[in-house]
Amino acid sequence: FTAMNYYNGFASMELAGAGTTGIMNQQFQLITPFLLKNFNYFSENGYAVCIASNGFYGLIDKTGKTILPFLYQFLGSESEGLIYAMLNGKFGVINLQGNEVIPFGTIGDIDKGEFMRLGSNFRKGFMIARDPVGNKTGVINAQAKWVVEPKYAEITYVDTNRTFIVAIPLSSKKYDYLYGLLDVNGKELIAPKYDYLSEFGNNFQFRIGKEEPIDYTSDPLNNLLASTARIKKPKLYGLIDKTGKQLIPATYNNITLPTEKDIIEVSKKI
């Protein structure tokens, strides 16, 4: 063997000279032949996504049995018995029998063509998905119904409150967004108005302040540095609840999750 990687009780081994991989269990039994290019870790339900030597994706269980045949261009990890998949250049969701739950072509590429493809998972009956036509992000359920219409640049699921942090573009610059909050039915709880929003226990930390490029057009010498130099506007953090009620005003340079009950650590530059 030329390489070996251990994944939660299973080892993937690359066959010397062949460049192909097989999987061995804890009893040192080979559960797949050396015909794989790569394999992902096993999910909580005991399924692993594998890539065959021809580049196609399939799904196996912990005995090495093929659950989904190796004919997909991409498979995401199994969640709630469902798998985000790509077939014939179109994206959809299938079950463990290979039946379409969300028909191929109904949703688009959640990874927007990025080199590292991660896919999307179901969480408590919902999946963040992308509209194949408008290329916007929304939330779809297992009945292929959009519960949050695809009109946002980005969406993040918040497990604590079963809410969604959403982003809308502020300008044409990449990742120049404003952030807000929706409930699981798509109702707007907090309008997108913050430069950053993240889960903070049962509440949300928000930020005011972005970085903007310096305009050096009046100074030819400094024009050489214009691509990397930036004005660092103050970034101030505060805390709100899921209704948008302000708990801590945006006057701090940092807010840290409490190490003790009912205590929040904050810092401010002097």
Side-chain angles (χ1 to χ4, degrees):
F1 306 117
T2 58
M4 179 180 290
N5 293 300
Y6 188 76
Y7 300 90
N8 194 24
F10 292 84
S12 66
M13 300 170 294
E14 185 176 322
L15 191 63
T20 54
T21 297
I23 304 172
M24 181 178 287
N25 62 20
Q26 288 179 311
Q27 287 73 45
F28 301 102
Q29 298 169 328
L30 198 65
I31 66 170
T32 69
F34 287 93
L35 296 174
L36 302 177
K37 183 179 179 181
N38 201 355
F39 101 103
N40 202 350
Y41 58 86
F42 283 95
S43 69
E44 291 181 358
N45 295 326
Y47 301 105
V49 175
C50 298
I51 308 175
S53 56
N54 61 6
F56 285 93
Y57 288 67
L59 191 75
I60 66 170
D61 66 13
K62 288 186 176 181
T63 69
K65 178 184 176 181
T66 298
I67 304 300
L68 292 174
F70 288 79
L71 53 81
Y72 298 94
Q73 291 163 296
F74 177 78
L75 287 178
S77 57
E78 176 272 335
S79 58
E80 302 181 6
L82 301 172
I83 301 101
Y84 172 87
M86 180 183 181
L87 182 66
N88 298 325
K90 295 181 179 180
F91 294 87
V93 174
I94 56 177
N95 59 23
L96 293 172
Q97 290 72 47
N99 300 322
E100 293 182 39
V101 175
I102 298 177
F104 288 100
T106 304
I107 57 177
D109 183 3
I110 192 65
D111 295 297
K112 298 181 287 188
E114 297 288 344
F115 175 75
M116 179 66 73
R117 189 179 297 285
L118 300 174
S120 190
N121 293 332
F122 269 87
R123 299 180 67 174
K124 299 181 180 178
F126 300 101
M127 187 183 79
I128 297 169
R130 188 169 290 275
D131 173 21
V133 178
N135 203 30
K136 297 292 185 180
T137 305
V139 179
I140 201 167
N141 63 20
Q143 290 72 48
K145 179 182 177 182
W146 291 101
V147 294
V148 174
E149 289 298 318
K151 60 180 181 180
Y152 298 97
E154 287 185 358
I155 297 182
T156 304
Y157 182 74
V158 181
D159 190 63
T160 304
N161 294 296
R162 292 195 71 197
T163 50
F164 298 98
I165 295 173
V166 297
I168 61 171
L170 184 60
S171 71
S172 59
K173 299 175 184 177
K174 192 174 184 180
Y175 304 125
D176 188 17
Y177 299 151
L178 291 176
Y179 296 85
L181 190 70
L182 306 179
D183 69 12
V184 291
N185 298 311
K187 180 183 177 182
E188 188 177 273
L189 302 176
I190 302 172
K193 61 182 179 180
Y194 296 108
D195 293 316
Y196 180 74
L197 191 65
S198 63
E199 186 179 7
F200 191 94
N202 292 321
N203 300 302
F204 297 88
Q205 182 179 194
F206 69 94
R207 186 186 75 207
I208 303 296
K210 292 179 178 289
E211 291 184 348
E212 296 294 339
I214 297 175
D215 182 7
Y216 282 125
T217 55
S218 60
D219 189 336
L221 178 61
N222 283 333
N223 276 338
L224 297 173
L225 306 174
S227 61
T228 56
R230 304 179 70 83
I231 296 173
K232 291 188 176 180
K233 291 185 177 181
K235 294 186 183 67
L236 299 176
Y237 294 85
L239 203 64
I240 55 177
D241 66 15
K242 66 178 181 179
T243 70
K245 179 182 177 182
Q246 190 173 105
L247 304 176
I248 297 176
T251 57
Y252 297 96
N253 300 105
N254 186 48
I255 298 178
T256 307
L257 276 169
T259 54
E260 298 181 23
K261 187 177 180 181
D262 299 327
I263 295 177
I264 294 177
E265 300 174 8
V266 298
S267 64
K268 183 184 292 188
K269 292 181 180 179
I270 301 176

